[in-house]
Amino acid sequence: HICNCPKYPVENFKRNLSEMDFTDDELKRILDFYLFNAIVTDENNKKINNGTTLSNYGWNGSSIHTELKNKITQSLNVQLCFLRSSKITQALNAANLDDTICAAHHRGVFKRYFSHNVTEDETISFTESEPCMNCLFRHIRNSVAHNLTYYFPQEETILFVDKDRNTITAKIILSKQALLDLIDIVINGPETNHEND
């Protein structure tokens, strides 16, 4: 990400959601959706974590994650990068999501859960990967739960950061309104029914 917008030192803007001028109703919606009823990957996690799945909102079928990702990126004008990697440092730097950032443009870099297999001839293959949309919501939930949020009032944007110990696993910057619009996109479901995909 290269632009001529002002750059801000991230650490100077650490705030929790209650310090970001949301109304009480908006804050309740955000906490209900992203934290208390967080999107989880499957029914087993739903039972364990008291969350909900995307299928609860009508997002079913094999093509649904692509459709939802496209709807989110287009509606919110956000660039999203999902990586199956042990680190995402280079991608964060390329997206200008390091210690001093442009806070004006929506974008995010995420480390996905994945499993891999290595054969005797050293062929490497991915055996399982977390769906991108579940990855997005998991990282936002973790950021909110661990109070790793930064507010840039000049731009009315929020940086969400997720970490695994001291390693950054995700950063996404969204406007306050985009955070609320994302809830509506998911809750309103897809435009077409994918029950038989």
Side-chain angles (χ1 to χ4, degrees):
H1 175 79
I2 299 172
C3 72
N4 294 322
C5 294
K7 308 297 186 271
Y8 302 98
V10 171
E11 284 305 316
N12 293 350
F13 295 89
K14 186 159 179 39
R15 305 284 185 280
N16 66 51
L17 290 176
S18 66
E19 299 173 301
M20 296 183 194
D21 300 322
F22 286 109
T23 67
D24 289 346
D25 286 343
E26 289 171 336
L27 189 57
K28 182 183 181 312
R29 280 188 75 212
I30 290 166
L31 294 176
D32 281 348
F33 182 82
Y34 292 106
L35 190 60
F36 304 133
N37 295 294
I39 300 290
V40 295
T41 304
D42 57 35
E43 290 299 320
N44 290 332
N45 280 331
K46 181 179 177 182
K47 292 173 187 165
I48 295 168
N49 297 321
N50 201 28
T52 189
T53 63
L54 287 170
S55 62
N56 292 120
Y57 297 111
W59 296 98
N60 300 303
S62 58
S63 63
I64 210 60
H65 286 276
T66 302
E67 183 180 335
L68 179 55
K69 181 181 176 187
N70 290 341
K71 186 165 186 156
I72 289 169
T73 56
Q74 291 167 9
S75 298
L76 305 181
N77 192 27
V78 60
Q79 296 176 335
L80 303 174
C81 176
F82 298 92
L83 301 171
R84 294 178 291 193
S85 174
S86 57
K87 291 187 177 185
I88 59 171
T89 308
Q90 291 176 355
L92 289 170
N93 290 337
N96 186 20
L97 286 170
D98 42 24
D99 295 333
T100 303
I101 68 167
C102 153
H105 299 106
H106 298 178
R107 61 201 183 283
V109 177
F110 308 89
K111 179 182 171 192
R112 291 169 65 186
Y113 284 144
F114 68 94
S115 301
H116 63 280
N117 186 38
V118 182
T119 61
E120 289 182 35
D121 68 355
E122 297 183 349
T123 301
I124 301 171
S125 61
F126 292 104
T127 54
E128 188 176 317
S129 292
E130 172 185 33
C132 291
M133 294 298 90
N134 292 89
C135 177
L136 167 70
F137 292 111
R138 174 176 59 85
H139 285 299
I140 292 175
R141 178 237 169 260
N142 290 347
S143 175
V144 171
H146 299 287
N147 197 30
L148 293 171
T149 53
Y150 303 80
Y151 181 52
F152 302 89
Q154 309 86 327
E155 311 292 346
E156 290 203 353
T157 54
I158 305 165
L159 174 67
F160 297 89
V161 178
D162 191 13
K163 293 181 179 181
D164 183 4
R165 295 180 191 93
N166 290 325
T167 302
I168 293 176
T169 57
K171 285 188 177 182
I172 182 173
I173 190 156
L174 293 171
S175 70
K176 289 171 51 180
Q177 188 58 53
L179 186 65
L180 295 164
D181 291 346
L182 183 53
I183 295 170
D184 293 332
I185 289 170
V186 172
I187 289 175
N188 292 337
E191 294 175 11
T192 57
N193 188 344
H194 293 273
E195 287 287 332
N196 298 320
D197 282 1

